[in-house]
Amino acid sequence: MPSSRSSRRAVTTAWESSDWYLGMVGRRGHLYHRHLALPALLALLEPQPGERLLDVGCGPGVPAPHLARLGVHYTGLDASPRMIAQARKHHARSGTFVVGDARHLRAAVGQNATFDAVSFVFSLQDMHPLEQVLSEAAGVLRPGGRLVAVLTHPCFRVPRQSGWGWDACRKLAYRRVDRYLSPLCVPARRAGGAGTLSFHRPLQDYVAALFAAGMTLEALRELAPTDAMRRQLGRSAAPDNPDIPALLALRARRATG
Ligand SMILES: C[S@@+](CC[C@H](N)C(=O)[O-])C[C@H]1O[C@@H](n2cnc3c(N)ncnc32)[C@H](O)[C@@H]1O
């Protein structure tokens, strides 16, 4: 894993040149956004009209119109100016978008700015150091404010260290996990997608970092692709097992005292 001494340097991800991602997500989001991540985000967030939400690592800002429709004041923050430009192009009417580093959130949004809620959608797993990012997120939350994160399930989706297998005797697709407890920094392997990084951590590291940031874990959901999604993703060609979750969604709350 990269050292936390690098945390004052430029962000190490290369989302600036990730046209593949913008193409895949589009304006309305990927299937995983539409069928799993957005419903989980809204269910766990329980947003109230007039609340202020900071979406950290917002990318092209897919949740913005869904939250604006509910009367939430949405601010999207991302380290990549290209992602922010795309978010403004599609969703300028639904929120405010700023370029900033999750590792220095308080500096990015203003020392006195506070939010009722902070969200991370498919972004926490791309940020390092986790403890610093979560402590900064807690620092911009009002007392009692909540944090909702949706990420690829760390127990079943370990980049390059997990995959589907086929048990011919039992006629069953199973999930193979080669390593889990050791944190990993994994460069994305994608044609045309230059050097973005993902960070695998075991679930206990997420929970420990939330506690260290003064947050209490309140709710956790594990989400598997729906049948409709599986049909659209063409799962008949590559069988999987609908009982194995792809995503994890959680809500934590900053202490009131
Ligand atoms: C997989 S994309 C997810 C984007 C968006 N939330 C979505 O659901 O489409 C991860 C995002 O995290 C952003 N990111 C990574 N490290 C960051 C950091 N330290 N500060 C702010 N954004 C960061 C990247 O620029 C990228 O847009």
Side-chain angles (χ1 to χ4, degrees):
M1 300 284 282
S3 134
S4 58
R5 281 184 299 153
S6 66
S7 63
R8 275 277 164 199
R9 287 197 222 123
V11 175
T12 48
T13 54
W15 291 92
E16 274 306 279
S17 48
S18 291
D19 285 345
W20 62 269
Y21 190 77
L22 293 176
M24 182 178 82
V25 170
R27 185 191 186 101
R28 294 180 52 234
H30 187 269
L31 273 184
Y32 277 92
H33 282 104
R34 299 201 301 274
H35 289 252
L36 298 181
L38 288 173
L41 174 69
L42 295 178
L44 289 178
L45 205 51
E46 298 174 353
Q48 304 300 315
E51 284 195 319
R52 289 152 300 143
L53 171 111
L54 180 65
D55 187 18
V56 183
C58 67
V62 170
H66 300 269
L67 289 156
R69 211 171 291 138
L70 298 170
V72 172
H73 301 293
Y74 174 98
T75 302
L77 174 140
D78 201 287
S80 158
R82 180 145 166 62
M83 289 283 179
I84 290 297
Q86 187 78 356
R88 286 185 183 138
K89 180 175 157 200
H90 287 319
H91 303 301
R93 285 204 204 130
S94 300
T96 306
F97 297 93
V98 293
V99 175
D101 187 340
R103 299 170 302 179
H104 308 291
L105 261 193
R106 281 171 279 206
V109 297
Q111 294 293 342
N112 296 324
T114 55
F115 295 84
D116 300 293
V118 168
S119 60
F120 294 86
V121 179
F122 298 133
S123 57
L124 197 51
Q125 66 220 40
D126 293 333
M127 294 176 182
H128 176 81
L130 180 65
E131 296 75 10
Q132 181 178 342
V133 170
L134 289 179
S135 152
E136 286 286 306
V140 301
L141 276 175
R142 67 162 169 79
R146 58 237 191 259
L147 177 152
V148 173
V150 183
L151 54 153
T152 49
H153 202 308
C155 305
F156 300 100
R157 305 273 167 146
V158 186
R160 297 204 202 171
Q161 301 293 333
S162 63
W164 292 111
W166 178 249
D167 182 332
C169 293
R170 298 169 69 207
K171 297 199 175 8
L172 183 73
Y174 63 87
R175 195 77 188 161
R176 194 203 75 235
V177 177
D178 300 337
R179 40 185 303 187
Y180 171 70
L181 281 175
S182 316
L184 286 172
C185 168
V186 187
R189 203 166 30 189
R190 185 169 287 267
T196 58
L197 298 178
S198 271
F199 300 93
H200 164 73
R201 298 113 180 171
L203 188 53
Q204 63 185 3
D205 286 14
Y206 284 101
V207 175
L210 285 168
F211 287 161
M215 318 251 337
T216 309
L217 184 60
E218 276 190 349
L220 191 143
R221 290 194 183 178
E222 297 176 291
L223 313 163
T226 61
D227 287 346
M229 275 178 79
R230 285 151 47 78
R231 275 195 299 278
Q232 287 186 60
L233 290 166
R235 282 291 188 254
S236 54
D240 65 14
N241 183 335
D243 210 49
I244 307 285
L247 306 184
L248 179 77
L250 62 83
R251 182 180 68 226
R253 193 176 293 273
R254 186 184 153 181
T256 45

